[in-house]
Amino acid sequence: MASGGHGHTEDELRYVRRRYLSAEAARAIAVQIANATFAARSTELWGQGSTAVASDSTHVRAYDQNLFTEWHSRYGGRGVLIYWHVEKKSLAIHSQLINCTASEVAAMIEGAMRHGTTMDVEANYTDSHGQSEIGFGITRLLNFDLLPRIKRINKVKLYRPVAGEPDAYPQLTPALTRPIRWELIAQQYDQMIKYATAIRTRTASTEASLRRFTRNASHPTYAAMLEVGRAQKTIFVARYLRLRDLQREVEEGLNVMESSNGANSVIAYGKGGEIASNRRDEQEMFVLCLRILQSALVYVNTLMLQDVMDEPEWADLLTPADRRGLTPLFWSHVRPYGEVNLNMAARLNLASASVPGPRIAEAAGHGLAHQTA
């Protein structure tokens, strides 16, 4: 970065990094870029604003000498986990650095509640590891839908709505189990709302609450939340098996998540994509900078596509299917290698950008080249 011919030395650049780029500042930058993307989007091209996100974990390798390196049984390697929340138009709205043994359910809830952007999250797509009965219960109390892709959905048991009707659903008898304990939910309703409010207002973290319940599985409030989760999971499974559109919606959301992971592997190619530092704050900064870069990439691509699509010759050329296939997450124009020219006085000529847009886009373009290198 210091060899870009801009007159700034390496020591000066490192000082700016240490002095100004903290975790809080990086998080605020990512949120600002996300909000600018939401504000600049054209509804004619991208449709109405989305209220659903997809979430999943990504395993990032770390050096074996790293004190925080853990072995992950599912991914089969040493490293740490980055848990992402990506909305349907490929924009990352939240990222977390979690241990390999951490609960993905807690990370899913934290990201949906703490993303800090202007987006109103009403649904969360996830895979089998991001859902559980307690997860269904807490998300119901927090008033957003958990929409998972359950790996062994043919093994899921459905709970009966009421007792005393063993022959009410004869065709579902092999999949049915005991009735929901509605009386327990009614008894513990106030306490469940108390815990849900504590999570919403940040009085208590989701992971701490789940850990407390796990250590005391006989806790009556935990048992009531499980009953709510069992009822909600039964409703979801019935909807999922009946509605083909819901199946496609969940798959499309998770496919966006996989595309996002592919972009991250291109951006974070330095050192083979491994984390060399054993300091937790440096690992977190790695995650936040990666989120900034991907958000900046989506922001600039969104503005470029809108400028191109504003040209009259494209109006009749693209079919509705072509427009549905448009995505701002592409990186064939990114130059990871080569000379980096730092010029903060230059602006990208993007007509679709809002007032703060060009500054963000221009800084993001230089930052993308810097961080990938």
Side-chain angles (χ1 to χ4, degrees):
M1 187 68 177
S3 63
H6 43 68
H8 300 290
T9 65
E10 181 180 349
D11 289 340
E12 290 174 341
L13 296 177
R14 289 188 180 277
Y15 171 77
V16 172
R17 157 68 178 87
R18 292 192 304 268
R19 177 67 177 82
Y20 295 102
L21 192 57
S22 62
E24 293 75 13
R27 194 173 291 108
I29 292 171
V31 169
Q32 183 181 4
I33 296 175
N35 290 338
T37 305
F38 293 143
R41 277 181 181 167
S42 170
T43 56
E44 295 181 358
L45 183 61
W46 307 108
Q48 297 297 325
S50 174
T51 58
V53 296
S55 62
D56 194 12
S57 61
T58 304
H59 186 259
V60 180
R61 293 177 299 169
Y63 290 174
D64 291 351
Q65 294 83 358
N66 192 322
L67 298 178
F68 287 92
T69 299
E70 298 177 349
W71 178 271
H72 199 287
S73 58
R74 177 157 57 94
Y75 290 100
R78 294 180 176 87
V80 296
L81 291 182
I82 306 176
Y83 201 85
W84 296 96
H85 281 73
V86 180
E87 57 97 34
K88 295 183 70 174
K89 299 301 180 182
S90 304
L91 179 64
I93 65 168
H94 194 263
S95 61
Q96 304 172 67
L97 179 68
I98 61 176
N99 296 328
C100 293
T101 56
S103 169
E104 292 193 18
V105 176
M108 177 272 298
I109 296 173
E110 283 290 312
M113 298 297 298
R114 310 276 189 262
H115 55 88
T117 69
T118 57
M119 182 179 181
D120 185 15
V121 176
E122 297 180 359
N124 197 126
Y125 312 114
T126 183
D127 59 5
S128 297
H129 303 280
Q131 60 84 31
S132 65
E133 290 180 346
I134 187 63
F136 272 100
I138 294 179
T139 54
R140 180 66 182 89
L141 293 171
L142 293 174
N143 198 29
F144 70 92
D145 290 332
L146 177 59
L147 305 176
R149 179 178 58 192
I150 303 176
K151 187 175 183 179
R152 302 181 64 188
I153 197 169
N154 60 316
K155 302 295 182 181
V156 173
K157 290 295 183 180
L158 305 179
Y159 287 80
R160 296 178 182 272
V162 294
E165 297 180 0
D167 301 326
Y169 308 96
Q171 295 181 347
L172 294 176
T173 300
L176 292 175
T177 182
R178 65 168 178 83
I180 296 293
R181 299 164 60 189
W182 300 108
E183 69 283 355
L184 179 60
I185 296 176
Q187 293 171 5
Q188 297 295 322
Y189 182 79
D190 291 342
Q191 289 297 316
M192 289 191 297
I193 296 299
K194 174 183 174 182
Y195 280 102
T197 304
I199 294 174
R200 184 183 297 277
T201 59
R202 302 192 180 190
T203 305
S205 68
T206 308
E207 188 172 1
S209 300
L210 291 180
R211 190 184 304 114
R212 176 183 179 183
F213 285 143
T214 304
R215 292 175 179 174
N216 184 13
S218 61
H219 197 291
T221 305
Y222 179 60
M225 283 187 177
L226 282 176
E227 291 299 310
V228 174
R230 287 161 182 160
Q232 189 67 18
K233 186 174 183 178
T234 300
I235 294 172
F236 166 76
V237 172
R239 289 177 56 211
Y240 186 86
L241 295 177
R242 182 171 60 91
L243 301 176
R244 190 63 176 170
D245 289 341
L246 179 59
Q247 298 175 23
R248 294 193 182 99
E249 179 184 350
V250 173
E251 289 295 330
E252 289 175 0
L254 293 177
N255 287 339
V256 170
M257 186 73 245
E258 296 301 329
S259 299
S260 178
N261 289 336
N264 287 333
S265 64
V266 174
I267 297 174
Y269 68 89
K271 298 183 177 64
E274 291 185 295
I275 298 178
S277 175
N278 62 357
R279 293 176 52 183
R280 191 72 174 182
D281 57 338
E282 290 294 333
Q283 293 178 349
E284 184 179 7
M285 184 59 68
F286 171 88
V287 174
L288 290 171
C289 287
L290 184 58
R291 176 181 159 195
I292 289 174
L293 296 176
Q294 188 184 128
S295 299
L297 177 67
V298 172
Y299 176 74
V300 174
N301 288 349
T302 298
L303 298 181
M304 289 195 301
L305 282 174
Q306 290 180 181
D307 278 2
V308 171
M309 298 304 296
D310 283 342
E311 298 177 3
E313 57 267 24
W314 287 97
D316 300 327
L317 185 60
L318 293 183
T319 65
D322 294 329
R323 293 180 178 274
R324 288 197 303 269
L326 283 177
T327 174
L329 188 61
F330 56 90
W331 52 86
S332 58
H333 59 303
V334 174
R335 185 184 64 177
Y337 299 98
E339 186 180 82
V340 177
N341 295 314
L342 181 64
N343 184 3
M344 299 303 292
R347 303 291 176 87
L348 294 179
N349 186 20
L350 296 172
S352 300
S354 56
V355 174
R359 294 186 178 182
I360 296 176
E362 188 275 334
H366 292 299
L368 184 64
H370 166 47
Q371 292 291 346
T372 53

